[in-house]
Amino acid sequence: MAGISRPRGTDDLLPERLQAMEHARQLGTAIAASYGYRPLETPIFEATELFVRGVGDTTDVVTREMYTFEDRAGRSLTLRPEGTAPVVRAFWESDLRQAPLPARLSYWGPMFRYDRPGRGRYRQFHQFGVEVLGESEPELDAEVIAVAWRWLLELGLGGTSLQLNSIGDATCRPQFREALLDHFGPHLAQLPDLDRERLRRNPLRILDSKDPDVAGLLEAAPKTTDFLCDGCHEAFLRVQEALVAYGIHFQLNPLLVRGLDYYQRTAFEVWHEDLHGAQNSLFGGGRYDGLSEELGYPHCPGVGFAAGLERVTMLAPPPGPAPLPLVWALAAQPEAAATVIRLSEQLRGAGLAAVVDAGRRSLKAKMRSAERGGASLVCIVGAEELSQGLVTIRLLGDGSQVSEPLRTAVDRARALLFQSS
Ligand code: AMP
């Protein structure tokens, strides 16, 4: 159809999708709260420096995908591509850091990335996530995973697997990096351009390669876990022991890496069997003990996860219908318009959802709309009812009908709905 269409990579959240996303978000927030996480929201745009830091992978991937613009005062601002750096900034700029640590926080909101649009891949999408700041105990890594896992269970989302790895820290990662270079170095000519570039800029990222020509080399590549120093090794064992205590199955996946240096130790993803290729991840998370310093703040360890709500709701069974029974208040004649409007307000005040039709269409047309619109019950006021101070109440389920004084119509409607449900 001609006209202005929505920007590429964006989607309109139509009522069903929006209901599913709100359900998922509210459930996530409530489950996180049951583990002691408090929700916060940060601005949708931030100073660009919050996301562009240092060199290497940052400039390579993040910058290319960012929506960056100058405001009228010439400041460089960026629509947030992710939620962790803003949460760390908010932590330092508020009194959250004075509260007992660790701070347990949850967030949700739209994120923006200039990605190539595809199934489950948008330029504006929504993430729900949690972060734990101020402590580096490995049991916290497992706790964050437990929040994610319980959320999945309560959403009724099966077909998932938890992929777990440790990518070491500044002590042991340099040896691993060297080992990767030694392994792939003699095969440079056979690598596709993208992977050769990864090896040059950030060797760990080559483990992300999905190129079939590289699969054999990847299989034989050194494993992060063979290079862990004592501290990282012990922490990794503690994460696994705690996951067992939570009753959560995991799959060790030595190819799972995070490109950025501030990520340390635990890296995890939740995969779904219906998501393939580079887009198979439902959730991503890990420990980022180096991030706070990279943002110019004091050292502050952290761990968290983020999940894409579009992907989660695409795969989870749809939530049940809206919990409120729906009443339609219909004017059968024009002179009843004000009465049905007042009645609809009283119905809402009594905790029911009410749609009012005070217009001039025929009662028959209005009844048809009410039936199609999912009404459980209709309240009809016409000239005759008006003169006697009555309302006709009809239950759509069995077609039964009563005449009720206007004064008590709301109570009667509630009673009838209650009986019939
Ligand atoms: P990341 O922040 O890249 O670790 O991504 C975390 C989660 O956000 C992923 O597992 C996806 O569920 C979701 N996600 C990331 N990028 C997109 C996108 N372009 N469109 C929709 N969801 C996304």
Side-chain angles (χ1 to χ4, degrees):
M1 201 186 300
I4 301 169
S5 13
R6 58 176 183 261
R8 194 165 135 75
T10 64
D11 209 359
D12 296 309
L13 299 176
L14 301 177
E16 257 169 53
R17 174 52 83 86
L18 187 61
Q19 192 201 342
M21 285 188 32
E22 294 210 330
H23 169 72
R25 166 169 74 90
Q26 283 166 9
L27 193 61
T29 307
I31 287 169
S34 77
Y35 287 75
Y37 291 65
R38 294 190 301 150
L40 88 167
E41 281 187 25
T42 61
I44 284 175
F45 58 85
E46 295 271 2
T48 299
E49 306 86 82
L50 189 68
F51 306 111
V52 182
R53 305 170 296 261
V55 288
D57 211 59
T58 319
T59 41
D60 182 32
V61 177
V62 183
T63 322
R64 220 182 35 208
E65 291 184 353
M66 284 189 342
Y67 280 91
T68 296
F69 59 97
E70 274 195 5
D71 72 2
R72 283 161 194 254
R75 298 177 196 94
S76 178
L77 299 172
T78 291
L79 298 183
R80 61 179 177 200
E82 55 101 14
T84 303
V87 169
V88 172
R89 178 199 54 63
F91 171 80
W92 286 110
E93 284 200 313
S94 68
D95 56 7
L96 285 171
R97 67 200 156 98
Q98 266 119 34
L101 296 181
R104 290 178 164 87
L105 301 164
S106 72
Y107 66 88
W108 87 284
M111 306 291 159
F112 304 85
R113 295 184 194 173
Y114 197 83
D115 243 337
R116 199 164 41 79
R119 182 171 181 258
R121 193 168 351 101
Y122 299 93
R123 291 183 173 169
Q124 175 179 331
F125 58 99
H126 297 75
Q127 283 187 340
F128 170 76
V130 308
E131 314 288 355
V132 181
L133 298 174
E135 229 183 63
S136 58
E137 299 293 334
E139 286 73 21
L140 291 171
D141 307 25
E143 178 182 292
V144 156
I145 294 173
V147 173
W149 204 250
R150 181 176 287 268
W151 185 40
L152 281 184
L153 284 183
E154 294 203 15
L155 283 168
L157 214 165
T160 53
S161 70
L162 172 63
Q163 308 285 314
L164 184 71
N165 195 19
S166 172
I167 54 173
D169 63 8
T171 315
C172 50
R173 204 160 352 162
Q175 283 92 291
F176 176 63
R177 211 183 302 240
E178 281 308 310
L180 274 181
L181 289 172
D182 288 348
H183 176 73
F184 286 98
H187 308 283
L188 277 186
Q190 125 191 27
L191 294 179
D193 289 350
L194 175 66
D195 288 331
R196 228 184 350 256
E197 184 64 11
R198 281 170 161 160
L199 208 59
R200 196 175 67 76
R201 281 176 176 262
N202 188 339
L204 253 67
R205 284 290 307 279
I206 200 167
L207 300 180
D208 276 341
S209 177
K210 303 285 184 280
D211 197 296
D213 293 343
V214 187
L217 274 174
L218 276 183
E219 202 149 309
K223 312 273 180 269
T224 53
T225 38
D226 291 337
F227 288 79
L228 298 182
C229 59
D230 289 349
C232 288
H233 183 68
E234 193 218 312
F236 196 35
L237 287 182
R238 279 172 61 189
V239 173
Q240 294 176 53
E241 278 163 19
L243 284 175
V244 171
Y246 278 112
I248 297 174
H249 292 284
F250 51 86
Q251 231 167 300
L252 294 179
N253 181 345
L255 294 182
L256 191 73
V257 287
R258 290 277 175 271
L260 303 178
D261 276 348
Y262 60 77
Y263 283 111
Q264 287 179 12
R265 298 188 169 173
T266 309
F268 70 91
E269 285 184 4
V270 173
W271 289 359
H272 191 277
E273 60 196 16
D274 291 349
L275 294 171
H276 298 292
Q279 253 43 64
N280 61 357
S281 129
L282 259 184
F283 296 44
R287 178 159 283 287
Y288 49 85
D289 289 356
L291 176 61
S292 181
E293 278 157 301
E294 197 156 313
L295 298 177
Y297 297 111
H299 176 71
C300 177
V303 61
F305 80 79
L309 287 176
E310 280 79 2
R311 288 193 200 165
V312 165
T313 51
M314 191 168 85
L315 298 163
L324 290 179
L326 198 57
V327 179
W328 283 51
L330 310 180
Q333 266 94 30
E335 50 272 45
T339 305
V340 290
I341 289 172
R342 273 198 301 274
L343 177 63
S344 70
E345 283 291 272
Q346 289 162 2
L347 287 161
R348 295 179 196 113
L352 299 171
V355 174
V356 64
D357 193 340
R360 302 284 158 101
R361 290 188 308 151
S362 72
L363 181 61
K364 205 164 149 199
K366 289 178 180 180
M367 281 299 295
R368 236 192 338 260
S369 298
E371 278 159 19
R372 287 212 190 135
S376 310
L377 183 148
V378 291
C379 294
I380 305 161
V381 184
E384 206 184 311
E385 283 96 345
L386 209 54
S387 67
Q388 302 170 38
L390 294 174
V391 184
T392 299
I393 300 179
R394 185 184 299 178
L395 267 173
L396 289 188
D398 58 9
S400 64
Q401 188 164 304
V402 294
S403 213
E404 182 72 19
L406 246 176
R407 265 180 307 107
T408 48
V410 172
D411 288 343
R412 187 69 188 266
R414 277 184 64 100
L416 285 169
L417 280 170
F418 192 62
Q419 273 170 25
S420 72
S421 64

